[in-house]
Amino acid sequence: MLSLEQLKEITRQSESKIVLLVIDGLGGLPQPDTGKTELETARTPNLDRLASKGICGLTDPVSPGITPGSAPGHLALFGYDPIKYNVGRGILEALGIDFDIEKGDVAARGNFCTIDKKGLVTDRRAGRISTEENAKLCKKLSKIKLDGAGLFVVPVKEHRFLLVFRGEGLSGDASDSDPQQVGVAPLSVVANSPKGKRTARLANDFAIKARAALADSHPANMVLLRGFSQHPNLPAMQDIFKFNPAAIAAYPMYRGLAKLVGMKVLSTGSTIEEEFDTLAEHYAEHDFFFIHVKKTDSAGEDGAFDAKVRAIEEVDKLLPRITKLNPDVLIVTGDHSTPAMLKGHSWHPVPIVLYSEWCRADRAKEFGETACASGGLGRFPALEVMPLAMANALKLTKFGA
Amino acid sequence: MLSLEQLKEITRQSESKIVLLVIDGLGGLPQPDTGKTELETARTPNLDRLASKGICGLTDPVSPGITPGSAPGHLALFGYDPIKYNVGRGILEALGIDFDIEKGDVAARGNFCTIDKKGLVTDRRAGRISTEENAKLCKKLSKIKLDGAGLFVVPVKEHRFLLVFRGEGLSGDASDSDPQQVGVAPLSVVANSPKGKRTARLANDFAIKARAALADSHPANMVLLRGFSQHPNLPAMQDIFKFNPAAIAAYPMYRGLAKLVGMKVLSTGSTIEEEFDTLAEHYAEHDFFFIHVKKTDSAGEDGAFDAKVRAIEEVDKLLPRITKLNPDVLIVTGDHSTPAMLKGHSWHPVPIVLYSEWCRADRAKEFGETACASGGLGRFPALEVMPLAMANALKLTKFGA
């Protein structure tokens, strides 16, 4: 693999357009009765037509056997080595709600939770309180005074909030207070290295004051913090790839990931249809589009095989709204697999189809795990998707003399 | 690829069990009359059934084109980068006979050999003297006094022995005295770097005194030394993978390799049947088993195509003794190819089949090189076998936020 610096040397600006459609958690596992995965079960005439015209394969988001979180899965597709570039959970939350993170800030993902009289966690999500209730509690917590550091407590959705410390000498090198299980007390935050000491002290101070402030707010009577992290300062896609990238994503975290690499986030609705319409509306303004579909992953996480099938069919039905724009390169893939059978992200390689005038089509005639396994792209790291996209868009010059 | 340290962050202990069956030198080349390799020629209904239910592929033990020795072939399968972790032959011999190597010791593999009156080697294996004769001679050589260093000369099998120097300032950075051919004199040992000087001096001193001591012991009237090396201090499998691993291997070197990464070596018999029975006996006690079958490699090295076919058929016949234990993950592969047509190890990628409930079976219906080449695992580095095994055993958590 070329490094980003090496890649940058051979990228060139051009008129051609690339559309990267990421169907979150696309890959799956066979339903035992039929032997077919979610994607193979779904009726997908449009994706199958794309597979026939294009070239198919399977990607490993990180490497074989490794189950990626959302950040590594997307960073790899954007061309950033997910092992080298580590994005903390706190930063993702911050970017996803348009919080203006400054250099030096430390962000963490917060959960409102329920503790009993002994202080032991009984519900890590405080019964998924409403977003409105969340907003009220965050307002209360925002008034906490910390020794020499600014504090931001910003509601996200349901029980989730964003915590940001702003000040000198901070680092993300501190442990979680979230014990990831019930029946135990929230953990005290400790520095993973001397750099993290101040963050750990602020976090523990915040937790004590939050507990006092939330004493009467059952079920949301305590907070759990995880993923202390700082802005990773990734090189911008504009610089590396010399295009003008835009992101269309209904869910905050994916907008955040896109911003992290310099994409312009287009405002869109919450449905797939609205996302695809946003693409059409802004098609003239950009030459790279990342479109994110969340429903498939959510269904997979819920173990809802049929719902995932339907979500894929919905994408397929709407696909002509993308294909009629005639992008020079259209890629449809996922950031990882989320088999309904496993009710979570998994390590299984992810189907991919790439269509361009120059793709050298293979024999795959349908878009599914089994067909992709013998596709012309073979099995390859997701990190190589972006060089392939650039090549097929004729946006790469020769490497070497 | 994640580093071992990164992998360690996402491994977790669980009840599930992994069995890794290594059929040494499994891969082969087609017999010209039939166009079928040893594995494809063998009648293997049980392995074929496993291939039907499982997912197949081809591994590169080191990288394409590279023919591995036994150590790199196995280390890769155990999850240790064979390019980074180099294990000397001497150390392997020591571990394989349960010799208690101490930090700082230098070990070498010794051969009794035959030299003529001019001192030229006429037989590098001294006519493969009996192990009993070997033991007597080692006893004699053990009495040699070296300047300020302890000496151990321990019989292995036939003409092979282990030499160990113990003392201060030793290093494995010294050349072999074994010329790897007949008609020339044993080489004098030289230091490959200043660190190796003391080892080289001791080795040359030992060789002179050994020649004198063996003067009347024709055909075993001299020694050849190779593979000076020290314990490589590999991180233990228990630490990285958080399981309790056991090894079942009739041959010393493979037991030694297993010990090197922290496996408990189970005592077993010399036949495949006895090895498989040992697995059944100890199945409750461990959650990872490495079982090594040597016969296939020996037959390949001898150029005995039919004998290798029969050895594979013997494994297949006994396979139900493993499958009836219902391991959560069963992997059958080799540490490298040993085509009978080449009479030695080779660079050809090695067939692998992995079965687990979560493997996402491919279309491969038989276990053979050609079928594996279009298997769902594709072609991949053997180093990734262990992450795949761990993933399929649900012993890995998510990587990244």
Side-chain angles (χ1 to χ4, degrees), chain A residues 313-392:
Chain A
E313 288 177 343
E314 187 181 344
V315 174
D316 187 79
K317 208 170 161 188
L318 294 165
L319 195 69
R321 298 197 189 194
I322 299 180
T323 49
K324 77 174 180 202
L325 299 169
N326 281 320
D328 299 273
V329 177
L330 172 57
I331 292 173
V332 183
T333 187
D335 55 333
H336 53 73
S337 294
T338 306
M341 310 294 300
L342 278 173
K343 295 187 181 186
H345 292 197
S346 81
W347 64 92
H348 300 90
V350 186
I352 182 170
V353 55
L354 180 154
Y355 171 74
S356 89
E357 188 181 348
W358 315 110
C359 69
R360 196 163 77 192
D362 56 20
R363 287 176 180 164
K365 296 280 174 262
E366 56 185 88
F367 191 46
E369 286 82 351
T370 304
C372 285
S374 39
L377 288 173
R379 179 171 175 173
F380 67 105
L383 185 53
E384 289 170 350
V385 167
M386 192 56 73
L388 274 170
M390 294 291 289
N392 276 278

Side-chain angles (χ1 to χ4, degrees), chain A residues 131-313:
Chain A
T131 306
E132 293 70 37
E133 177 65 12
N134 177 338
K136 275 183 222 157
L137 297 176
C138 283
K139 208 164 184 179
K140 198 182 253 183
L141 295 185
S142 294
K143 292 177 186 150
I144 289 174
K145 297 292 170 214
L146 295 177
D147 183 24
L151 171 70
F152 302 86
V153 187
V154 193
V156 182
K157 258 191 183 177
E158 298 176 336
H159 57 286
R160 295 188 284 267
F161 65 87
L162 165 72
L163 174 79
V164 175
F165 299 141
R166 179 166 294 167
E168 298 295 307
L170 295 174
S171 150
D173 216 6
S175 69
D176 297 347
S177 79
D178 187 343
Q180 298 279 353
Q181 54 178 314
V182 296
V184 298
L187 305 172
S188 91
V189 177
V190 296
N192 296 328
S193 77
K195 284 190 303 178
K197 277 188 187 170
R198 185 160 154 70
T199 299
R201 266 197 298 266
L202 289 171
N204 292 325
D205 188 24
F206 173 77
I208 289 167
K209 291 171 176 166
R211 185 172 172 176
L214 298 172
D216 298 328
S217 308
H218 192 277
N221 62 356
M222 186 48 179
V223 296
L224 298 175
L225 306 172
R226 60 190 161 111
F228 290 97
S229 44
Q230 294 185 298
H231 197 293
N233 289 316
L234 299 173
M237 275 194 142
Q238 288 89 328
D239 288 343
I240 305 297
F241 300 109
K242 305 190 187 86
F243 51 42
N244 178 16
I248 301 166
Y251 270 63
M253 191 196 294
Y254 310 96
R255 293 198 295 266
L257 279 163
K259 270 190 255 180
L260 212 55
V261 294
M263 288 190 219
K264 177 175 179 185
V265 172
L266 303 178
S267 113
T268 190
S270 60
T271 67
I272 302 173
E273 188 167 9
E274 286 168 308
E275 290 186 315
F276 285 20
D277 285 346
T278 302
L279 172 69
E281 283 156 31
H282 293 268
Y283 194 67
E285 299 155 27
H286 298 273
D287 49 5
F288 177 91
F289 294 89
F290 154 59
I291 313 175
H292 182 264
V293 170
K294 176 67 181 170
K295 257 187 177 176
T296 36
D297 180 58
S298 308
E301 295 253 10
D302 291 344
F305 191 95
D306 294 340
K308 191 173 162 193
V309 169
R310 284 194 302 274
I312 294 168
E313 288 177 343

Side-chain angles (χ1 to χ4, degrees), chain B residues 211-256:
Chain B
R211 183 170 174 176
L214 298 172
D216 298 329
S217 308
H218 192 277
N221 62 356
M222 186 48 178
V223 295
L224 298 175
L225 304 173
R226 59 190 163 110
F228 289 97
S229 45
Q230 293 185 300
H231 196 293
N233 288 317
L234 299 173
M237 274 194 143
Q238 288 89 328
D239 289 343
I240 305 296
F241 300 109
K242 304 190 187 88
F243 52 42
N244 177 16
I248 300 167
Y251 270 63
M253 191 198 294
Y254 310 96
R255 293 198 294 265

